[in-house]
Amino acid sequence: MIDAGVHQQLGTLVAEVKNLREDLRRSEDRSDVGRVSMTRRMDELVERMRTLEGSMMLVKDDIAAMKPVTEDVRKWKLMGMGALGVIGIGGAAAGTDAPIQSSSKRGRSR
C-alpha cells in the first residue's frame, strides 16, 4: 500500500496549499483596501478639479469684465500725458518758465 513517507509528504503539500490560499486571500484583501483608498482619493481630486474649474471660470469672467475698463483707463492716461505735454509746451511758448511756488512760501519774507 502507500508508504508513511508519502502520507507525510501529501500532508505537507496540503498544508502548503492551504497556506498559499490564505496568503493569496490576505493579499487580495489588502489590494481591495488599497483600491478603495485610491478610488476615494481620485474622487476627491475630481471634486477639487471641478471646484478649481468653477473658480477659474469666475475669474475669467471677472477679467473679461475688467478689460474694457482697463483699456479706457489706459487711453485716459495717454490722453492725460498728451494734455500735460501740450500745456507744458504752451506755457513755454508763452514765456512762463518761472517755477511754481507753493502757497506756504509766498507769504514769507526774509
Side-chain angles (χ1 to χ4, degrees):
M1 299 257 235
I2 299 180
D3 185 70
V6 172
H7 281 289
Q8 183 181 4
Q9 290 176 346
L10 188 57
T12 303
L13 185 60
V14 168
E16 288 296 323
V17 168
K18 285 181 182 179
N19 288 337
L20 285 172
R21 283 183 180 168
E22 183 62 26
D23 289 345
L24 182 60
R25 186 190 59 76
R26 281 189 295 229
S27 177
E28 287 175 351
D29 290 345
R30 283 193 304 268
S31 294
D32 289 344
V33 169
R35 280 190 292 274
V36 167
S37 174
M38 185 63 74
T39 301
R40 180 183 46 80
R41 290 173 59 195
M42 289 294 287
D43 289 343
E44 290 172 359
L45 285 173
V46 166
E47 185 59 33
R48 288 176 65 188
M49 287 299 294
R50 285 184 186 140
T51 302
L52 183 61
E53 285 176 344
S55 296
M56 288 305 296
M57 291 302 292
L58 292 173
V59 168
K60 187 177 177 182
D61 292 343
D62 287 348
I63 289 173
M66 287 184 239
K67 193 169 184 174
V69 174
T70 304
E71 292 297 323
D72 288 344
V73 169
R74 187 174 291 142
K75 288 177 190 174
W76 297 340
K77 183 178 176 183
L78 290 173
M79 290 177 4
M81 293 295 191
L84 286 175
V86 169
I87 291 171
I89 292 172
T96 58
D97 58 347
I100 300 174
Q101 294 181 353
S102 67
S103 60
S104 63
K105 292 183 179 178
R106 288 184 194 159
R108 284 195 240 165
S109 60
R110 292 186 183 208

